[in-house]
Structure formats: C-alpha cells, structure tokens
Amino acid sequence: MTVNQSGWKPTTPTAATSDGATTTGNRALMLEEPLIFEIGDSDSTGVDFGSYASGTSRIAGLERSTEIGLPGLSEPQTVRHYTRLSRQNYAIDLGLFPLGSCTMKHNPRLNEKVARMPGFADIHPLAPQESVQGALELIDTLAYWLITLTGMHGVAMSPKAGAHGELCGILAIRAALEARGDARSVVLVPESAHGTNPATAAFAGYKVENIPATSAGRVDLEALKARLEVGGPNCDVAAVMITNPNTCGLFEPEMKAISDAVHAAGGLVYCDGANFNAIVGKVRPGDLGIDAMHINLHKTFSTPHGGGGPGSGPVVMSEALSRFAPLPYVVKSGDGYRLVEEETAHAEGSDSFGRMVAFHGQMGMFTRALAYMMSHGADGLAQVAADSVLNANYLLRSLEDVLDAPFAHSGPCMHEAIFSDKGFAEGFSTIDVAKALIDEGFHPMTMYFPLVVHGAMLVEPTETESKANLDQFIVALRSIAERARAGDPALKTAPIYAPRRRLDETLAARKPILAYQTPAPDGAESGVGAELGGR
Ligand SMILES: *Cc1c(COP(=O)(O)O)cnc(C)c1O
C-alpha cells in the first residue's frame, strides 16, 4: 500500500475495525497511528536548511557518504506521532495495574519534585567529589536506611535492576566461596522462582537445580535438607535463591530454618527481595539468616518503572559477604563523603569482586526512594506492608468463589493473590480473561507465572488502590470469570475495543521484526503488520 504525502491512507475495514469501522480508522478520540516511516520519508524534511558553504571537515574524512534513511517530519507531525502512540499505552497514572510481582503502585509526585531539584538533577557523575557532597550524603543516607530496614550489615548500591542485583549477590557469594578455597557448583532455586533467579545462577557459571515445594506452595524444608546432605562435608551447593514472600504470594515461615540448614552445609543464602513491600517495616531479612538480597527500589520504594523509568536494585549483604561487595561505594570520613573507586583504595579487609557499572548507580532513583522513605517514616512504611497485604486478601476473598485459588486453604496471602484456570469451560484459558480485562479498562494481571500453578493469574493490587477501585476491578473480574466458566464464545473474541486485537504473540516473540521494511513495490503488504496477521 503506498502512503501519500500527508501520511494518511484510507483504511480497509479489517477484523479489527469491522464493528463500527470509520473512514479514518480512528475510533472517537482514540486515534490510529501509522509507523513513523509510513508518515514521513527520507526525501522530505521538517526543516529547511539553507545551502551551506563548504568548509574544512573536522572529523577527518569520517563524514557519512550515504543517506541515513530517516523519515523527515515537521515538529507538529513528530509531536503528534509520539503523543498518539503514548495514548495507546496503559500506565499506572491511568488506572489499576495489577501486574503480580511487579508492584505497580502509585509513584508519589513528591518524589518527582525532590528528584528534579537542581542539586540532584543537574550533576554529572564525573563532577569533583567535593562539589557533590550532598549527593554522596544522599546515597549514604539511603544505604543506611536500607541496611536498617533489612537488618543487614552492608549494601551495594550500584546494581541497576533486580536481575542485576541478583547477579551482584551471586558474584559476591562466588567470591566468598573462592576466598575460602571452596569451589562449589550448584545453586538451588524453587520451581516457582522468577526466571531471573535460575538465569542469574547459570550466568554466574552454576548448575541450577530445583528445590521441591510442598502442596501448600512453600519450600519443602525436609527435601531441601536431604539435598544438602548429598556429598556430606563436601556438599556441592554454593547457594540457595529463595523469594520471600514467594511468587505464590505466600510467606516462607521456615526461612530461618532454611538458612540455618544451608549455612550448616557450608552454603550461602540469597533472597530475592522483589516482594519486600509486603514485609517492609515488619520483618528484617537479616534476622532470617539471609546473606544477600536485592531490593527493587522501583517496586518497594515506588520509583517509576514499566516504561516510566529505569530500575535500581541495591543489594543488602550480611557480615560474611559485605567485604566482597562491588565497587564503587561511599564512605564517610571526618571531612566529608568519598566515593571509593579503586581496588587499591580499599579499606583493610575489603575484597571486592570488582565493578558492575561505570558509575555509582541510579542517582535519580536513589533520590526518589529516599524521598519516599522519609515522607512515610517508620510507621508509614509498616503501613505500606499492612495495606498491600490487606488489599490482596480483599481481592482473594472476593473472588475465590468464582476463580480457583489454589493456596487459599493455606491461609491469608501476602501482597498478591494467585488464581488458576481450573473450572473454566473446555477451551477457555487465562489469556481469555486477560484480554477481556483490557476491554474493561484494566491492565491484565501477570499470566502463566509462576509455572507451578496451571494457567496462573497473579494479581497484585498494591497498597495505593482505594477500596472503590478494588471493588470496580472485582466486579469486572467476577463477570469475566463467570463467562469463562460458562464458556461464553464472545470471550474468545476479546479485546474488541483495543487498538489491536489478538496478535500472533508467539510469532511476534520468536520472529520479531525490529527494523522497518519498505513495502514490496507491487503493493503487497510486508513488514510488521503483515507478519503479525494484520494491523
Ligand atoms: C521483578 C522481579 C525480579 C527482577 O527484577 P527487575 O528489576 O525486573 O530486574 C526478580 N524476581 C522477582 C520475584 C520479581 O518480581
């Protein structure tokens, strides 16, 4: 299909628009938007440059000699293109975002205000340290509160996401084991773990084995002990990685016994702290014998993520592990704060495994997280945990008669409720529920994770949703669940109101087309839309 100069092309009503199709393809104020390459082409330009007098090149013959091939658009065209695309995104600022394990809670605007203060926002990582003492003090203060809240000994601030923090923790564990001349080969991970856990262990060179779970959805302590005994004093288990509360939304009450058993066998304990918002201010992981745990500042401490900002994953560490933490780190001395950057500058007894990032970590997220902590205070943070758990249990108990809740018999959940597709009519699955939720105006919950629950739906409402919001979500999800149980064929066609309907997600994941392909000259469709079975 050729695109005319203005970028508008008549739409043929497709499956996506056949009900109530319009000539523009727009539906009310929900605007269609072509790809930027379909709007502009490299022959047009949004700016008229006068001809320039040739001068001497200052880049030693490295000038581009061919066309760059970018579409030339005017400023209003560009602004509208990206604004229209942004309106097709769902965001936490629009409504409830119950994506289990992701903790999509409200990002307080106070955090944003503080992060934009010029003293924090306008500094450069290479600025002389004496000129950024306030920023270093902020990092040190945040580190202090992370250590205090977790009851740990030290913290590595630089990792830039939860997964990056896992790698930091496992590398510190490997360094600690190597320092005592004890090369071990296995990391144990429960089957319900987030995929980053086994990926991290494998990336660090370990063999990954599953820790069995009980029917109640928790780590099977006896089976774990039996595995640790294999090889006796020459146990091959370097570490266990356990999520607490776990990804079934359940607290691991035997965590201390698990840690003790692992330590007795000479291993170390990594805790995935992504779910810390359920226990912050209530439980200190340090008291449970944990050696390393990442904290997703972008989950527990409300810094924006999911398209809104970068992650930040500081790792708190036990006394046994802290000296292996990565560079750089902030130290306070008599005359102020200093960033320790070099191995040679180490304090006595320090044995860092190296460096993970160029600079000191995500300054903007540190600022937001500390603003969040200070505006909540100790009582406010404990209230966060209580409210996140209360909201999840409200959902669990309001829906368990229409959605199978596999662990509801084990008692209350923590900050997220898990459901399965058991009881749906033949041929109906979790994906149908998720797509129908889009029609109702909600971002779907986490689907098909954790793998231990068939057709899992992991719902995390977070503590920042009001009862009114939860009630509206419950009404929507109840009606969809009832349709799935009854086998309503219309459910299979959802979403009907979204800009796109059901795409071939497997094809999109397996064979993504990441570069624009010019349409074939004969007018045959090619490119992303065609590959995915129609736009
Ligand atoms: C989010 C999450 C991670 C990974 O964290 P990122 O910041 O996305 O890298 C790991 N484990 C669990 C349980 C999570 O929810």
Side-chain angles (χ1 to χ4, degrees):
M1 190 180 288
T2 40
V3 177
N4 69 17
Q5 236 7 75
S6 69
W8 179 82
K9 57 183 177 178
T11 46
T12 336
T14 62
T17 54
S18 58
D19 35 315
T22 57
T23 55
T24 52
N26 299 332
R27 269 175 292 168
L29 301 181
M30 182 58 105
L31 305 181
E32 266 302 326
E33 187 61 9
L35 298 176
I36 197 165
F37 293 95
E38 294 168 328
I39 307 173
D41 53 52
S42 52
D43 293 336
S44 35
T45 168
V47 195
D48 289 328
F49 291 114
S51 56
Y52 64 96
S54 56
T56 3
S57 164
R58 289 193 285 168
I59 52 172
L62 292 174
E63 303 89 349
R64 169 177 289 281
S65 55
T66 52
E67 284 293 329
I68 195 167
L70 292 178
L73 264 64
S74 68
E75 183 172 305
Q77 275 180 314
T78 311
V79 168
R80 283 187 179 162
H81 174 70
Y82 287 109
T83 305
R84 286 174 178 178
L85 289 186
S86 75
R87 282 169 41 119
Q88 295 185 359
N89 259 340
Y90 192 79
I92 187 63
D93 290 345
L94 288 171
L96 192 137
F97 207 132
L99 202 49
S101 213
C102 292
T103 311
M104 301 300 291
K105 62 180 168 189
H106 171 67
N107 310 134
R109 291 311 188 260
L110 178 67
N111 300 356
E112 299 304 319
K113 183 167 176 165
V114 175
R116 280 165 178 68
M117 288 163 69
F120 296 124
D122 294 349
I123 54 179
H124 191 279
L126 293 176
Q129 293 189 19
E130 60 275 17
S131 72
V132 291
Q133 285 293 302
L136 295 179
E137 181 177 357
L138 184 144
I139 297 175
D140 192 60
T141 308
L142 177 61
Y144 171 81
W145 286 117
L146 290 175
I147 290 169
T148 303
L149 283 168
T150 54
M152 300 288 275
H153 185 265
V155 59
M157 296 298 288
S158 67
K160 294 195 174 182
H164 204 205
E166 289 172 35
L167 184 61
C168 170
I170 292 296
L171 291 180
I173 287 173
R174 195 175 74 183
L177 290 171
E178 282 171 359
R180 68 174 197 222
D182 187 2
R184 294 173 173 229
S185 55
V186 175
V187 169
L188 302 178
V189 182
E191 246 180 299
S192 62
H194 194 274
T196 50
N197 292 191
T200 295
F203 187 77
Y206 288 104
K207 212 165 101 224
V208 180
E209 278 181 37
N210 281 333
I211 307 175
T214 63
S215 59
R218 297 182 165 100
V219 167
D220 185 336
L221 179 59
E222 291 316 309
L224 173 65
K225 282 183 176 164
R227 174 59 186 86
L228 291 169
E229 271 164 22
V230 177
N234 303 319
C235 178
D236 57 356
V237 175
V240 296
M241 296 182 85
I242 289 177
T243 311
N244 198 14
N246 70 26
T247 52
C248 298
L250 304 173
F251 190 72
E252 295 283 359
E254 293 184 314
M255 195 61 224
K256 183 68 171 72
I258 293 169
S259 301
D260 290 346
V262 174
H263 288 150
L268 290 143
V269 180
Y270 187 88
C271 180
D272 180 329
N275 297 334
F276 191 51
N277 66 318
I279 57 174
V280 60
K282 302 272 185 190
V283 176
R284 300 191 318 161
D287 298 335
L288 304 177
I290 282 149
D291 292 296
M293 181 182 93
H294 73 261
I295 299 168
N296 308 60
L297 296 185
H298 47 291
K299 294 179 181 172
T300 302
F301 294 103
S302 84
T303 72
H305 63 137
S312 180
V315 182
V316 287
M317 294 188 186
S318 64
E319 193 164 2
L321 222 50
S322 290
R323 72 190 177 95
F324 301 100
L327 294 161
Y329 51 86
V330 175
V331 290
K332 186 179 182 187
S333 47
D335 51 352
Y337 295 88
R338 205 157 47 81
L339 202 55
V340 178
E341 300 253 28
E342 306 281 340
E343 297 275 351
T344 50
H346 272 198
E348 194 90 348
S350 171
D351 208 0
S352 170
F353 71 74
R355 178 185 271 274
M356 299 192 79
V357 301
F359 299 115
H360 43 61
Q362 302 284 21
M363 188 66 205
M365 298 303 138
F366 296 162
T367 314
R368 288 171 175 84
L370 186 62
Y372 179 81
M373 275 185 195
M374 297 185 98
S375 57
H376 279 69
D379 56 339
L381 289 176
Q383 185 77 40
V384 161
D387 290 351
S388 72
V389 172
L390 178 66
N391 278 359
N393 278 283
Y394 182 62
L395 285 185
L396 178 66
R397 297 306 169 200
S398 305
L399 289 160
E400 64 184 335
D401 60 325
V402 286
L403 281 173
D404 173 59
F407 301 122
H409 62 273
S410 337
C413 60
M414 295 297 289
H415 63 306
E416 51 197 356
I418 191 159
F419 302 101
S420 87
D421 61 2
K422 193 168 147 195
F424 289 179
E426 182 70 28
F428 285 77
S429 177
T430 296
I431 187 94
D432 305 311
V433 173
K435 297 296 183 191
L437 264 180
I438 294 174
D439 277 340
E440 296 284 352
F442 293 105
H443 192 286
M445 67 288 271
T446 292
M447 299 185 288
Y448 302 109
F449 172 83
L451 305 176
V452 291
V453 169
H454 193 272
M457 285 167 265
L458 187 61
V459 186
E460 179 178 6
T462 81
E463 73 280 3
T464 56
E465 295 304 327
S466 65
K467 180 169 179 298
N469 288 349
L470 296 182
D471 284 336
Q472 192 194 31
F473 178 71
I474 289 165
V475 167
L477 191 48
R478 281 193 75 84
S479 81
I480 296 167
E482 277 159 4
R483 290 167 66 198
R485 297 178 85 86
D488 174 6
L491 202 59
K492 283 270 157 206
T493 65
I496 54 174
Y497 300 118
R500 296 294 177 274
R501 300 188 62 185
R502 293 205 191 191
L503 302 179
D504 186 338
E505 288 164 6
T506 312
L507 185 66
R510 293 285 155 83
K511 289 170 112 190
I513 299 169
L514 302 175
Y516 179 66
Q517 298 175 355
T518 343
D522 63 353
E525 291 260 4
S526 74
V528 184
E531 280 286 337
L532 293 182
R535 294 159 38 92

